[in-house]
Amino acid sequence: MLKNTTKLLFVFIIVFFIIAISLTSCNDDDNENNTTNDTDITEIIDSSDNNQKFSEIVYSIPKETSYLQNSNDFILDIFFPIGWSEDGKFAYIYEPVDEATGYYFFTFEIKDMKNNEVIWTWEIGKKDEIYEGSVKDIWNKNKDEFRKILVKNKIVQNKDFKLKQFPIIDKGKTYNLVESIKYRKTTNDFGFDIVRSAEFKLKSKSKKMKTVFEKKYSDDMILNVAMNTYLKSPFENRIATIVTKQICGYEGPPHVVMFDIVGFALDF
């Protein structure tokens, strides 16, 4: 009998210690959970992990991306897209067309695609009097400065851009482009019509319409305005589209094609 009592007591002591250890572990887990909940996780990501991610990014020389089929009838701005930020900024370089000046032109812009405002620009123009150059050379000479501004704006580089043609097809929805180009006679009676105004709208299957670009022109030499291609942000339903403006050449063809980057949201 005494032997059995001793065994029961021994078992009771073991069970007691197991329960005590389990309770202590649960309390420790609760304390850890309470500590985590007192900290803003979003703040941790924004202040450390995210910044660390961008501080380690290596940006490469952007590649030329064609937005218009080459032709002997015109010369055009050359487009080098870089990438997007999560909050709707778009970074790109372009080489503005040179019409018989002999200079090299280069423009690097970061544009907010929510309001189409240029928030940063770096350029080489006539005043710099550079006669030869390339995106590769300019990038390599200024890559530290360029990297700082890209990191500051949290631009994520896309190394394989592919411009798409309208209509926009996104998440099962189709958005068709509706254009309205109005022309007028030139004041100098050159014998051809020029653009007076341009308006582009998107139209959904439900027939809802959204104006994405409209502008009036006073220049006597604008032959045509078009919106043919676009890029979509990888982070949100936001579009960067290329609006081209064809201007009569100084002595006729080849004509000059310049472009503007115009942003809008697919929010209808």
Side-chain angles (χ1 to χ4, degrees):
M1 180 73 177
L2 180 61
K3 186 176 180 181
N4 290 336
T5 302
T6 303
K7 285 183 177 179
L8 288 173
L9 181 61
F10 180 75
V11 170
F12 175 80
I13 292 172
I14 291 174
V15 170
F16 174 82
F17 276 108
I18 290 173
I19 293 172
I21 292 170
S22 298
L23 290 174
T24 302
S25 176
C26 289
N27 287 335
D28 289 341
D29 289 342
D30 287 342
N31 289 335
E32 288 177 6
N33 289 335
N34 288 336
T35 302
T36 303
N37 289 336
D38 288 340
T39 306
D40 188 344
I41 300 300
T42 302
E43 184 177 341
I44 290 176
I45 294 172
D46 288 343
S47 62
S48 59
D49 293 347
N50 206 22
N51 288 340
Q52 180 67 24
K53 177 182 72 175
F54 281 96
S55 69
E56 295 174 353
I57 286 180
V58 176
Y59 295 94
S60 60
I61 301 168
K63 296 180 181 179
E64 176 185 346
T65 299
S66 176
Y67 60 91
L68 196 63
Q69 188 173 356
N70 289 331
S71 170
N72 292 329
D73 294 332
F74 54 78
I75 52 177
L76 68 163
D77 293 344
I78 303 175
F79 180 45
F80 300 81
I82 298 174
W84 292 81
S85 70
E86 292 185 11
D87 60 353
K89 299 186 187 76
F90 182 62
Y92 57 96
I93 289 170
Y94 69 100
E95 291 177 321
V97 64
D98 169 35
E99 192 178 13
T101 67
Y103 295 130
Y104 174 74
F105 298 99
F106 174 102
T107 302
F108 184 172
E109 290 184 342
I110 298 178
K111 198 169 187 177
D112 190 337
M113 294 287 94
K114 291 179 290 187
N115 56 21
N116 288 305
E117 295 290 333
V118 175
I119 59 177
W120 183 84
T121 186
W122 192 101
E123 62 182 0
I124 294 173
K126 287 183 180 180
K127 65 179 181 180
D128 298 292
E129 295 187 352
I130 294 178
Y131 295 93
E132 292 184 0
S134 69
V135 167
K136 180 180 179 180
D137 291 341
I138 302 301
W139 182 275
N140 286 334
K141 289 177 182 177
N142 301 277
K143 61 184 178 182
D144 291 338
E145 180 181 354
F146 292 167
R147 184 180 180 281
K148 285 178 183 178
I149 196 66
L150 289 168
V151 168
K152 179 180 178 181
N153 287 278
K154 297 185 177 180
I155 301 294
V156 178
Q157 185 171 25
N158 185 332
K159 298 180 182 179
D160 188 26
F161 277 102
K162 292 181 181 178
L163 286 164
K164 296 182 179 181
Q165 300 280 336
F166 286 91
I168 298 173
I169 300 175
D170 181 67
K171 297 179 180 178
K173 295 182 179 180
T174 300
Y175 303 88
N176 289 292
L177 187 67
V178 179
E179 66 175 46
S180 175
I181 312 295
K182 295 181 179 179
Y183 295 86
R184 63 179 174 84
K185 298 292 183 182
T186 62
T187 56
N188 295 319
D189 193 23
F190 289 133
F192 54 82
D193 292 341
I194 57 171
V195 175
R196 183 181 71 189
S197 65
E199 182 180 40
F200 297 96
K201 295 181 179 182
L202 285 186
K203 183 179 181 181
S204 67
K205 278 189 176 180
S206 62
K207 297 185 179 180
K208 290 183 179 179
M209 304 277 280
K210 176 177 180 174
T211 300
V212 295
F213 178 84
E214 58 181 336
K215 188 173 182 178
K216 293 181 178 179
Y217 298 91
S218 57
D219 192 327
D220 256 358
M221 306 301 285
I222 298 175
L223 303 177
N224 191 31
V225 176
M227 182 184 286
N228 297 316
T229 55
Y230 70 91
L231 296 165
K232 186 177 181 296
S233 167
F235 304 113
E236 55 181 343
N237 277 353
R238 192 166 302 281
I239 298 295
T241 185
I242 297 182
V243 178
T244 58
K245 180 173 64 175
Q246 189 179 64
I247 302 171
C248 184
Y250 183 71
E251 296 179 344
H255 301 307
V256 174
V257 176
M258 300 179 177
F259 71 80
D260 191 17
I261 304 293
V262 176
F264 54 84
L266 295 176
D267 56 0
F268 71 103

